[in-house]
Amino acid sequence: MLTLEAADAMASAALAEAVRKDFNDVSVAVMDLGGRVLVSKTMTGCPRLIPTLALGKAGAAVGTHSSSRALKEKYVPDRTPQLLAMTTAGFATTQPFCAVPGGVLCRDATTGAVVGAVGVSGASADEDEHCALAGAKACGFTTEPAESAL
């Protein structure tokens, strides 16, 4: 189970990684298995849309039990219309959905059960995903993807 304390630690670790790597300011959203936002943190230099994108990346991961990178790779370019339909369905039902790298699925390291997701936005897509992975791994979760592309 993803606790509020773990979600807060995850978000803080993701932000700290962005600072440590000297990435652009980022926003982090952590969702539980049910898609509830447990923690959202945004660095002061982020433009207004960035927190929404972080939420969408986490929402895509928890909503499909897949990383947002895996979704992008599965549907673009050959099945882009299907991905657009999924995005539209998410918008119509007020479920955030953004299939761009930076949304990481989190699983319990012992049981493998999905516990939630973390989404990061504001830097490059690979940098966002790197920070999300750093946050999840700081709390001991198994992640999808397992490793950073950086």
Side-chain angles (χ1 to χ4, degrees):
M1 178 175 177
L2 177 59
T3 65
L4 179 59
E5 293 77 19
D8 187 55
M10 190 184 313
S12 293
L15 293 175
E17 184 68 4
V19 170
R20 187 180 78 75
K21 290 286 204 173
D22 199 30
F23 295 157
N24 287 343
D25 284 1
V26 297
S27 183
V28 181
V30 181
M31 293 180 145
D32 68 7
L33 178 59
R36 291 178 297 180
V37 179
L38 298 181
V39 175
S40 177
K41 294 184 177 187
T42 302
M43 297 167 79
T44 58
C46 283
R48 288 181 50 205
L49 183 59
I50 298 304
T52 304
L53 295 174
L55 186 64
K57 292 176 182 187
V62 81
T64 62
H65 288 194
S66 177
S67 75
S68 58
R69 175 182 294 278
L71 285 168
K72 178 190 149 282
E73 291 174 353
K74 179 177 180 179
Y75 291 100
V76 175
D78 297 333
R79 296 165 58 196
T80 300
Q82 188 176 353
L83 184 60
L84 290 172
M86 293 165 67
T87 303
T88 301
F91 178 77
T93 59
T94 64
Q95 296 182 53
F97 188 91
C98 183
V100 177
V104 170
L105 189 67
C106 301
R107 293 181 180 272
D108 181 279
T110 304
T111 67
V114 174
V115 296
V118 56
V120 176
S121 192
S124 75
D126 286 345
E127 292 168 347
D128 292 344
E129 183 180 77
H130 177 84
C131 292
L133 286 165
K137 289 178 183 292
C139 293
F141 294 113
T142 302
T143 60
E144 291 176 26
E147 300 296 327
S148 172
L150 298 182

